[in-house]
Amino acid sequence: MMDNLLTEEQELTSKKVGRAQGMFGLASLEDRGMVMLINLAFTEGEFAGSTLSMLGRNPVQDTVRELPIVGGTGVFRFARGYAIAKS
């Protein structure tokens, strides 16, 4: 389970814009593949009251990963696409 601060930039001192809420867990016996269900809930700025939903597999051992955007609410209603994660 997670409920993390969502900010404009990577720095923790950056402006707060919402929360990243959801759950994830290891889902593979052969690698570090995780299944993730995350809602980005915006509470500040022009997107306040809207959400984006990600649902899918996150191969955390890869340096760059694509995570599917499967929907949203408010200004993101019917959203489709992907998010890029880098580590």
Side-chain angles (χ1 to χ4, degrees):
M1 301 300 281
M2 64 179 284
D3 183 8
N4 296 337
L5 184 62
L6 187 60
T7 59
E8 280 186 342
E9 304 289 334
Q10 289 181 324
E11 296 78 26
L12 288 176
T13 57
S14 181
K15 180 182 175 190
K16 174 187 168 185
V17 295
R19 307 292 300 184
Q21 300 169 324
M23 59 184 153
F24 58 91
L26 291 174
S28 175
L29 294 174
E30 298 185 13
D31 60 13
R32 291 193 179 123
M34 298 177 76
V35 62
M36 300 185 76
L37 170 86
I38 299 174
N39 288 302
L40 303 176
F42 296 91
T43 57
E44 305 289 332
E46 65 181 301
F47 304 122
S50 297
T51 66
L52 274 173
S53 297
M54 292 189 293
L55 170 65
R57 186 172 193 279
N58 182 357
V60 295
Q61 75 280 357
D62 295 350
T63 303
V64 178
R65 291 129 15 230
E66 290 185 7
L67 302 168
I69 301 293
V70 298
T73 64
V75 297
F76 299 116
R77 187 177 298 134
F78 301 118
R80 295 288 182 268
Y82 61 94
I84 298 289
K86 295 180 184 179
S87 54

